[in-house]
């Protein structure tokens, strides 16, 4: 149940991200459309979630922002998890010098102060669109995951079942991909969701600090703009929707994580509801 | 029994380099100068208490790690490393059937992979044939099961079937029944005996259970603290142990016909622990616990004494005056 709610929320945001602009057109609203009559208007009437101090529609901005926030989250998550798996599993499985080298690299990235560094890099890069932001966040965010995966792989590598398959003459590639990696699937997917959420939050944080391009709108940029005016004037409808979206996404990833273990561990999988009903009947 | 052993360890030694609690470099002398030969159609039992080097020796034979000195010979030829050809001849069955099967993979995955890796036909019927060989029936049903749906004994049979899938000539069993319920141990032992008789496998059966060694094996070898101290035909080693340590082992296995306290070793048992393998005692490593220890036992490892029944031992008691066998 928890998992379904979580997946539902994530799926909802994904759909909004995909069809967002079209949805705005359908409702006849747009993130940059200025309605001078509606400046700072609370929710209701023509503007379901109210309007900003510039007269733009909050709902339209949140819908348009969903796409950019989700793109940053997903892209940064994919980059981060791929790097974490490649570095962590390789280091753990092969050990020796490869491990020493990759662990050094991981530790280096681990102690880098990510946020200030991201600020500096983002400051240097000309175009700070969502893809750039995602690249930066992904490239600096993989290290903790790599460390965890290295430790897990190290423990799996020495287990009897891996030894037994090696004893059969199994190839290294298949030992990693068929025997070891499936045991890490739970870790990897949980880590991926964590990275996605972290990236969305980091993007919001960066936008809040002013690191974002002026012509993109995301949950973070909306909050950033609201910060300057809304709090002073009590315009809660401006910053609550994007904030709520971020919080909802966070909750959803948490809920999905609860369920991942059950999916990945076949022992928990046996508690098949249908089978139990059949047995009881 | 052919003259050339299928798999042999010749004078092998294995030292592990490690660090102690305060980070000093230490050498663990796990196995020292051990020779063990496995012949076709025979089961050799390797007995000894925990930490005596039995598992290390089995893993050396399986090429899990390289020997420090000595040689591993496969059909008389030195083995250079664990390649596919070696894997096709020598297989190891692990002690813990709960750890030796991938919990995410079905039984048939294990067997089919083993068949494919060694270019044997890997159809459903071949998987079923393997399961039949280890008495897991109905075969088709067991093929579809995940490890957690099986009992310990069934898992161990799957592990044995997987080892058999490559059609090995040597099977190394590292305490294959010690994790199983007593009620199903005999089944697995009988299975191993059948494999020896029907398939002509050479088997190494590692155990600390003297009774099962006697039941199953043709030859028994006794290890103590990394050294081989006695060997020979099973009956002679267990009925007339020559080495005091073997006698201690035999006496410590329960026997309803032996009255309590009749053993000469009540004193020795109190001496307790086996020695440290980092800093083993000089000479015969058993001398601190041996009630018959003499001066030479404390200085020099005894040479091998052979007996007419095919047995042998490394014990000073038999070197100087063979007629002076200690009696309890």
């Amino acid at each position: 149940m928890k998992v379904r709610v979580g997946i539902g929320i994530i799926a909802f945001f994904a759909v909004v991200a995909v069809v967002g602009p079209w949805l705005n057109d359908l409702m006849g609203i747009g993130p940059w459309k200025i309605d001078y009559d509606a400046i700072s208007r609370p929710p209701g009437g023509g503007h379901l979630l109210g309007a900003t101090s510039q007269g733009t529609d909050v709902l339209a901005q949140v819908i348009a922002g969903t796409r950019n926030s989700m793109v940053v989250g997903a892209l940064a998550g994919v980059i981060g998890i791929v790097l974490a798996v490649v570095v962590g599993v390789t280091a753990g499985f092969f050990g020796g010098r490869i491990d020493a080298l990759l662990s050094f690299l991981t530790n280096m990235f681990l102690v880098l102060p990510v946020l200030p560094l991201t600020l500096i890099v983002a400051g240097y890069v000309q175009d700070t669109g969502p893809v750039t932001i995602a690249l930066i966040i992904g490239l600096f965010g993989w290290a903790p995951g790599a460390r965890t995966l290295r430790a897990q792989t190290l423990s799996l590598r020495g287990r009897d079942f891996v030894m037994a398959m090696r004893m059969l003459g199994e190839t290294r590639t298949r030992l990693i991909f068929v025997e070891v990696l499936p045991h890490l699937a739970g870790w990897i997917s949980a880590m991926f969701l964590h990275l996605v959420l972290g990236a969305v939050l980091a993007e919001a944080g960066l936008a809040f600090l002013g690191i974002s391009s002026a012509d993109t709108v995301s949950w973070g940029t909306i909050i950033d703009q609201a910060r300057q005016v809304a709090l002073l004037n009590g315009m809660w409808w401006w910053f609550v929707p994007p904030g709520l979206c971020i919080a909802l996404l966070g909750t959803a990833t948490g809920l999905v994580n609860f369920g991942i273990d059950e999916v990945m561990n076949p022992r928990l999988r046996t508690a098949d509801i249908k089978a139990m009903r059949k047995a009881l009947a | 029994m052919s003259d050339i052993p299928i798999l042999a360890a010749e004078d092998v030694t294995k030292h592990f380099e490690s660090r102690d609690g305060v980070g000093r470099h230490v050498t663990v002398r796990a196995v020292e100068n051990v020779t063990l030969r496995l012949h076709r159609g025979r089961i050799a039992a390797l007995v000894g208490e925990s930490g005596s080097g039995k598992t290390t020796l089995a893993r050396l034979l399986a090429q899990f790690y390289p020997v420090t000195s000595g040689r591993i010979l496969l059909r008389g030829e030195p083995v250079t490393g664990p390649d596919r050809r070696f894997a096709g001849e020598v297989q190891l069955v692990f002690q813990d059937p709960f750890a030796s099967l991938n919990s995410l993979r079905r039984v048939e995955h294990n067997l089919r992979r083993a068949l494919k890796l060694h270019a044997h036909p890997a159809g459903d019927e071949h998987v079923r044939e393997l399961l039949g060989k280890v008495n897991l029936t109905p075969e088709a049903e067991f093929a579809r099961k995940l490890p957690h749906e099986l009992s310990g004994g069934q898992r161990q049979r799957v592990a044995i079937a997987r080892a058999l899938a490559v059609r090995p000539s040597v099977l190394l069993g590292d305490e294959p029944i010690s994790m199983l319920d007593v009620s199903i141990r005999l089944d697995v032992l009988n299975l191993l005996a059948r494999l020896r008789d029907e398939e002509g496998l050479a088997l190494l059966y590692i155990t600390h259970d003297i009774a099962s060694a006697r039941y199953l094996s043709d030859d028994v070898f006794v290890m103590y603290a990394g050294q081989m101290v006695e060997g020979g035909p099973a009956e002679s080693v267990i009925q007339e142990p020559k080495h005091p340590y073997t006698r201690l082992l035999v006496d410590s296995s329960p026997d309803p016909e032996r009255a309590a306290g009749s053993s000469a070793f009540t004193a020795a048992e109190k001496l307790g622990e086996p020695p440290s393998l980092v800093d083993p005692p000089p000479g015969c490593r058993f001398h601190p616990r041996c009630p018959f220890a003499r001066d030479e036992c404390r200085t020099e490892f005894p040479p091998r004494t052979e007996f007419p029944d095919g047995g042998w031992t490394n014990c000073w008691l038999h070197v100087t005056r063979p007629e002076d066998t200690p009696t309890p």
Side-chain angles (χ1 to χ4, degrees):
Chain A
M1 185 59 202
K2 281 182 200 163
V3 187
R4 284 196 192 148
V5 172
I7 290 174
I9 296 173
I10 292 174
F12 169 73
F13 281 125
V15 169
V16 172
V18 172
V19 304
W22 176 78
L23 200 68
N24 274 342
D25 289 345
L26 195 76
M27 290 192 291
I29 51 177
W32 307 115
K33 261 186 205 164
I34 293 170
D35 181 353
Y36 289 104
D37 298 333
I39 284 176
S40 303
R41 188 192 285 171
H47 301 282
L48 279 178
L49 294 180
T52 69
S53 63
Q54 284 110 42
T56 51
D57 189 87
V58 173
L59 178 64
Q61 292 219 325
V62 170
I63 289 174
T66 303
R67 171 177 285 188
N68 286 327
S69 287
M70 293 298 277
V71 163
V72 170
L75 193 60
V78 168
I79 294 170
I81 203 69
V82 166
L83 283 171
V85 169
V86 169
V87 173
V89 174
T90 311
F93 192 84
F94 290 98
R97 259 186 216 167
I98 298 176
D99 182 24
L101 188 78
L102 292 176
S103 288
F104 175 74
L105 193 76
T106 310
N107 290 338
M108 210 171 68
F109 270 88
L110 206 60
V111 296
L112 285 179
V114 177
L115 196 66
L117 205 73
T118 318
L119 280 173
I120 293 167
V121 175
Y124 272 106
V125 179
Q126 290 297 318
D127 164 43
T128 43
V131 174
T132 318
I133 297 283
L135 274 173
I136 295 169
I137 294 170
L139 285 176
F140 287 116
W142 56 270
R147 262 193 86 93
T148 313
L149 288 177
R150 172 184 170 269
Q152 287 298 318
T153 310
L154 214 54
S155 130
L156 281 167
R157 174 182 78 159
R159 302 256 179 98
D160 279 359
F161 70 87
V162 179
M163 296 285 225
M165 289 314 274
R166 181 175 284 170
M167 188 78 217
L168 288 176
E170 186 65 287
T171 60
R172 254 184 207 172
T173 333
R174 280 194 63 110
L175 280 179
I176 294 177
F177 286 100
V178 181
E179 304 297 331
V180 172
L181 216 50
H183 286 267
L184 298 173
W187 286 93
I188 291 173
S189 47
M191 226 173 258
F192 173 71
L193 290 174
H194 186 74
L195 277 168
V196 168
L197 181 65
V200 170
L201 287 172
E203 191 274 339
L206 286 173
F208 188 76
L209 294 171
I211 307 282
S212 63
S213 103
D215 55 351
T216 51
V217 54
S218 71
W219 296 339
T221 59
I222 300 171
I223 296 175
D224 176 41
Q225 282 164 13
R227 171 184 61 101
Q228 297 161 11
V229 192
L231 284 177
L232 295 173
N233 304 327
M235 293 164 67
W236 55 268
W237 59 88
W238 194 350
F239 56 84
V240 166
L244 207 60
C245 285
I246 294 175
L248 266 176
L249 188 66
T251 313
T253 55
L255 290 175
V256 173
N257 275 348
F258 280 129
I260 283 173
D261 239 15
E262 287 172 38
V263 179
M264 290 307 156
N265 188 341
R267 294 181 70 134
L268 300 173
R269 216 188 291 160
T270 46
D272 184 349
I273 310 271
K274 269 186 207 161
M276 274 166 72
R277 274 198 199 127
K278 218 181 261 176
L280 288 173
Chain B
M1 181 175 160
S2 68
D3 284 322
I4 299 177
I6 296 186
L7 187 66
E10 297 284 347
D11 201 27
V12 297
T13 296
K14 180 69 189 176
H15 292 172
F16 290 104
E17 306 298 327
S18 182
R19 292 193 182 277
D20 67 4
V22 289
R24 277 176 307 203
H25 189 92
V26 293
T27 303
V28 181
R29 298 161 194 280
V31 171
E32 296 228 68
N33 302 100
V34 166
T35 296
L36 179 71
R37 300 186 179 97
L38 300 174
H39 293 274
R40 188 182 146 75
R42 283 183 83 78
I43 296 180
L46 188 58
V47 297
E49 65 201 305
S50 300
S52 59
K54 308 183 299 281
T55 296
T56 307
L57 181 59
R59 295 191 166 196
L60 286 173
L61 283 167
Q63 292 282 302
F64 267 37
Y65 22 66
V67 294
T68 306
S69 73
R71 289 187 306 170
I72 303 291
L73 302 176
L74 181 64
R75 297 183 194 280
E77 287 168 28
V79 178
T80 47
D83 56 13
R84 185 85 45 97
R85 194 182 79 86
F86 182 80
E89 295 262 27
V90 181
Q91 280 297 316
L92 184 117
V93 175
F94 289 81
Q95 178 175 9
D96 182 0
F98 293 88
S100 67
L101 297 173
N102 189 337
S103 58
L104 299 175
R105 299 284 169 203
R106 294 185 189 280
V107 167
E108 59 184 347
H109 162 87
N110 287 297
L111 303 183
R112 189 162 286 139
R113 246 345 258 173
L115 288 168
K116 275 188 185 156
L117 276 167
H118 294 272
H120 301 313
D124 283 343
E125 68 275 21
H126 299 101
V127 169
R128 285 201 296 272
E129 186 195 326
L130 279 169
L131 289 170
K133 215 179 256 183
V134 293
N135 299 334
L136 283 175
T137 46
E139 294 93 336
E141 201 173 296
F142 275 106
R144 295 290 305 153
K145 288 203 189 247
L146 282 163
H148 73 267
E149 299 171 303
L150 304 172
S151 72
Q154 290 169 336
R155 281 160 171 248
Q156 195 60 292
R157 284 158 202 266
V158 172
I160 293 171
R162 175 175 61 185
L164 291 177
V166 311
R167 297 176 201 164
S169 39
V170 181
L171 201 58
L172 308 169
D174 185 2
E175 306 207 26
I177 61 164
S178 69
M179 302 275 288
L180 306 183
D181 278 354
V182 175
S183 55
I184 48 175
R185 287 182 177 180
L186 192 62
D187 291 347
V188 174
L189 287 182
N190 287 336
L191 170 64
L192 293 176
R194 212 186 71 219
L195 292 172
R196 165 195 60 190
D197 298 335
E198 291 176 8
E199 317 256 328
L201 280 174
L203 270 148
L204 178 66
Y205 173 63
I206 294 178
T207 185
H208 47 241
D209 172 15
I210 292 275
S212 72
R214 184 179 180 185
Y215 175 79
L216 182 67
S217 64
D218 304 292
D219 305 298
V220 170
F221 298 92
V222 183
M223 276 187 92
Y224 181 76
Q227 290 170 328
M228 201 77 101
V229 294
E230 181 166 355
E235 279 304 309
S236 105
V237 171
I238 290 164
Q239 294 287 55
E240 305 162 41
K242 274 85 174 181
H243 196 285
Y245 176 64
T246 315
R247 179 157 311 178
L248 173 62
L249 265 186
V250 172
D251 281 1
S252 60
S253 72
D255 181 352
E257 288 170 19
R258 194 174 55 223
S262 71
S263 163
F265 281 91
T266 34
E269 279 162 16
K270 281 183 193 140
L271 289 170
E273 296 294 302
S276 152
L277 293 178
V278 173
D279 184 22
C284 173
R285 288 180 178 181
F286 187 58
H287 81 252
R289 294 168 85 185
C290 181
F292 312 106
R294 307 172 184 178
D295 287 342
E296 57 262 44
C297 300
R298 298 186 179 89
T299 51
E300 204 181 333
F301 187 71
R304 177 174 290 198
T305 313
E306 310 245 356
F307 295 94
D309 59 5
W312 53 265
T313 185
N314 290 71
C315 181
W316 283 113
L317 298 175
H318 298 278
V319 174
T320 38
R321 284 170 293 167
E323 74 282 358
D324 192 8
T325 309
T327 42

